[in-house]
Amino acid sequence: MAQDGTGDLNGTDETPIRQALATLGKAGGTIVLKPGTYLVRSVLRLRSNVAIEGAEGVVLRLPSPTVTTAAAAKGQALLQVASAAEMAAGTTVEICPPGRKTHFPKDQEQPLRLKLQAVEGNRLRLAEPLPRAVPAGSRVGYRNNVFFVGGSDKNITLKALTIDGGRAKGIAMPGHTHRCALLAHGRYSYGHGPQAPPIENLQVLDCTIRDCYGRAAAMYLVVRGRVERCRIANLRDEAIDFDHFCTHCIATRNHVTDAATGVTINDGSYCLVEHNRLERCGVGVTVWWWHMCPQPNLNVENTIRHNTILAPRRAGISLGRKCVRNIVIRNRVDGGGIQVVETDNVVRDNTLQ
């Protein structure tokens, strides 16, 4: 697959990758991307037994958001924006109010999600009229993640890709489960736990992930997930997240700088975090319990060892309420210290500066 006409599928957005995924179908296989920048305006859904591999010069990027330069009245179908160069007709954008708020302030309504009929210079022609007024300075961008894995899919690998989240200086956009490089989400409920078999054997290897509003790799109800030898930088949210009901996941030999947390384990168990270098994060490594989950054996028997944590803004390592039987050994923590709430944990042989 290439952008220069030499491959079977070509293009400068996610379309050829989507076509390749459709061609593989249920049988699975490996997609190899040739150098070029692929703008991802719509999420790429990965199924079982698929690998996507890149090389130097391969970049998958979320388009950067922009802002409206003039107010638009209710019923209007045209938006004037600072830049529309990365927007395309037929795609769906999210419109958020000015500043950092998620909801429009007057009536606390949700952000707007509207389809673009056409892009005319720095004007966006909408496929339908605005249902409410949009003030000048409102933020306009794509809401999707780059990759999504759901259901109970298994044996999926992302390797040697550069993923750019399109984070723009001075424009704050909602993140968390949106605008991530990878979101993997099995079926569960907070109150009753897993509702289907987990996602299994999901690997992110040798990737560079940067400038995301959301997370680099967020995994929910994943067994044997792995993030290894990745370079992750400048994230508004968490870098590596083993979230609700993840088990036996591994984060190893990654280099994370400037993220909300380096590695998060939230209601995950039996996970391993080792040999990572985590610099200037809010917290280096955190394990914590979400109060909506009453199930037993959450946040237990995780091992955090041989990590180097430099200049965290808050804690180097943090183990919260109901996090027990975890092991924290032989880590180097320069700043922030190690914070542990419960006594039933092993914390020893760490070097604190």
Side-chain angles (χ1 to χ4, degrees):
M1 179 183 304
Q3 293 187 337
D4 58 5
T6 60
D8 295 330
L9 299 169
N10 294 273
T12 58
D13 61 14
E14 82 282 359
T15 303
I17 306 174
R18 190 182 312 283
Q19 292 172 335
L21 289 168
T23 300
L24 292 180
K26 293 183 179 179
T30 299
I31 297 169
V32 179
L33 303 182
K34 289 189 176 180
T37 296
Y38 301 80
L39 283 177
V40 181
R41 300 184 181 94
S42 180
V43 67
L44 293 163
R45 173 71 158 88
L46 303 178
R47 305 284 182 177
S48 293
N49 306 314
V50 164
I52 297 184
E53 297 184 5
E56 187 176 353
V58 172
V59 180
L60 288 84
R61 189 162 73 81
L62 294 175
S64 296
T66 187
V67 295
T68 58
T69 56
K74 178 181 178 179
Q76 188 171 320
L78 201 63
L79 289 178
Q80 185 76 35
V81 296
S83 174
E86 296 182 349
M87 310 232 168
T91 60
T92 298
V93 295
E94 180 177 60
I95 305 172
C96 298
R100 293 179 172 270
K101 292 184 178 180
T102 303
H103 296 72
F104 281 86
K106 290 185 179 179
D107 44 18
Q108 288 298 299
E109 291 188 79
Q110 294 284 340
L112 294 169
R113 297 197 72 212
L114 298 171
K115 192 172 184 179
L116 301 181
Q117 183 181 76
V119 178
E120 304 165 353
N122 283 340
R123 300 191 305 172
L124 304 176
R125 187 168 296 280
L126 306 174
E128 57 186 279
L130 286 168
R132 59 179 176 270
V134 171
S138 295
R139 298 159 289 156
V140 183
Y142 290 96
R143 187 173 186 255
N144 58 284
N145 303 302
V146 177
F147 293 108
F148 176 76
V149 179
S152 301
D153 283 304
K154 59 185 67 177
N155 303 326
I156 295 169
T157 300
L158 300 175
K159 185 175 182 181
L161 300 171
T162 293
I163 302 176
D164 188 319
R167 188 178 177 191
K169 187 176 182 180
I171 303 178
M173 297 295 284
H176 204 56
T177 54
H178 306 122
R179 301 178 175 91
C180 302
L182 167 68
L183 175 67
H185 207 298
R187 298 180 188 139
Y188 68 88
S189 74
Y190 292 135
H192 300 286
Q195 305 295 291
I199 296 165
E200 292 187 44
N201 191 30
L202 172 59
Q203 300 188 76
V204 183
L205 309 175
D206 302 302
C207 291
T208 296
I209 303 173
R210 64 194 183 212
D211 297 324
C212 293
Y213 287 100
R215 291 170 281 182
M219 301 186 187
Y220 295 72
L221 187 55
V222 174
V223 174
R224 292 187 296 280
R226 190 178 191 95
V227 182
E228 183 171 359
R229 297 185 305 274
C230 292
R231 296 156 301 283
I232 302 171
N234 193 31
L235 268 64
R236 184 171 175 267
D237 218 305
E238 300 152 316
I240 300 166
D241 178 35
F242 300 142
D243 222 303
H244 293 93
F245 312 109
C246 279
T247 58
H248 304 287
C249 292
I250 297 174
T252 182
R253 302 187 187 281
N254 302 287
H255 186 185
V256 179
T257 56
D258 298 298
T261 62
V263 182
T264 294
I265 300 173
N266 172 209
D267 294 335
S269 297
Y270 317 110
C271 296
L272 174 63
V273 180
E274 68 172 358
H275 296 296
N276 300 285
R277 185 178 179 92
L278 312 171
E279 299 184 57
R280 301 189 304 277
C281 297
V283 179
V285 182
T286 183
V287 184
W288 66 285
W289 168 65
W290 173 240
H291 68 279
M292 298 289 287
C293 290
Q295 293 80 16
N297 294 319
L298 298 179
N299 305 302
V300 301
E301 299 188 35
N302 299 292
T303 299
I304 302 165
R305 66 188 183 196
H306 300 292
N307 299 284
T308 299
I309 301 170
L310 306 175
R313 293 189 293 277
R314 295 189 297 280
I317 299 172
S318 173
L319 306 182
R321 278 187 67 215
K322 297 195 175 183
C323 301
V324 296
R325 305 196 307 279
N326 299 287
I327 299 173
V328 181
I329 59 171
R330 300 189 183 94
N331 300 281
R332 174 190 167 190
V333 180
D334 286 3
I338 298 175
Q339 302 175 6
V340 181
V341 173
E342 309 289 355
T343 58
D344 187 12
N345 290 287
V346 175
V347 181
R348 62 177 175 81
D349 301 330
N350 299 285
T351 302
L352 304 181
Q353 181 68 39

